[in-house]
Amino acid sequence: QVQLVQSGAEVKTPGASVKVSCKTSGYSFSAYYIHWMRQAPGQGLEWMGRINPNRAGTNSARKFQGRLTLTRDTSISTAYMELSSLTSEDTAIYYCATTHVNGDYTIDYWGQGTLITVSS
Amino acid sequence: DIQMTQSPSSLSAFVGDRVTITCRASQNIRSFLNWYQVKPGKAPRVLIFAAASLHSGVPPRFSGSGSGTDFTLTISSLQPEDLATYYCQQSYSTLWTFGQGTKVEIK
């Protein structure tokens, strides 16, 4: 079955960077986009960006452009999200997810989430 | 960017009630609209895709309708396990956006 397993929780200081991994299994990694979302405490879901694992092309929400880097390693079916210049407002649960049923228009499978805490 | 506006931001209803949540897009998104359910401490789950298609395994009490700019998620008979926050999300644009969420509570 399709699975996305994310790396563990991290605590970062303001100004640092964080890199979260998302290891996939149960499907052809290169065939479906990987999307990244986050949910800050008490806040709603926020779409951050996506990567095409086949060609490595990416799209990012405007507010993250310049400090969000999405990459992938097809040899181990794993996607990565790196966010730089962290502030306390980046404290959130970060999710990777993938599309299947409805082309690249609907998220069908989610990772378990990774809590990133930014604190001095 | 396409803005998605949900209403209400929260609601409280009795078990068995019919519940309706609306979502309005800032521009025409045709039927590129999904609905997700988020329960505390759990990853989101898709309920409805392409505005009106029920995702696999989702109870038929959930339904979606609409196209263009106005959309609706309906729970025909609210159940205790429906306690959650519901989000609409557009995938018309390359840059996706979510609504701000509607928190559903049980009276």
Side-chain angles (χ1 to χ4, degrees), chain A residues 41-111:
Chain A
Q43 304 298 308
L45 286 171
E46 183 173 32
W47 183 82
M48 300 178 69
R50 69 175 185 176
I51 183 168
N52 178 340
N54 188 33
R55 300 181 179 182
T58 63
N59 302 99
S60 300
R62 297 188 203 284
K63 69 176 289 185
F64 298 109
Q65 289 177 7
R67 68 183 190 108
L68 176 66
T69 303
L70 303 179
T71 57
R72 92 290 189 239
D73 184 339
T74 55
S75 69
I76 55 172
S77 300
T78 299
Y80 303 91
M81 184 281 298
E82 184 170 18
L83 190 62
S84 62
S85 303
L86 294 170
T87 72
S88 59
E89 294 187 347
D90 294 314
T91 293
I93 299 174
Y94 289 76
Y95 294 100
C96 64
T98 190
T99 58
H100 270 56
V101 170
N102 188 34
D104 186 48
Y105 298 108
T106 305
I107 296 291
D108 298 292
Y109 301 98
W110 297 74

Side-chain angles (χ1 to χ4, degrees), chain B residues 6-72:
Chain B
Q6 288 181 232
S7 61
S9 56
S10 66
L11 65 89
S12 182
F14 291 102
V15 170
D17 281 353
R18 183 182 184 88
V19 169
T20 300
I21 300 169
T22 64
C23 177
R24 175 164 289 176
S26 60
Q27 67 181 70
N28 186 348
I29 59 169
R30 295 166 57 186
S31 293
F32 291 92
L33 190 284
N34 305 301
W35 289 97
Y36 298 88
Q37 177 191 63
V38 181
K39 294 185 177 182
K42 294 202 168 185
R45 166 198 185 193
V46 61
L47 301 174
I48 302 290
F49 67 96
S53 296
L54 194 68
H55 201 265
S56 174
V58 175
R61 65 179 180 274
F62 291 95
S63 64
S65 64
S67 67
T69 60
D70 294 309
F71 302 87
T72 299

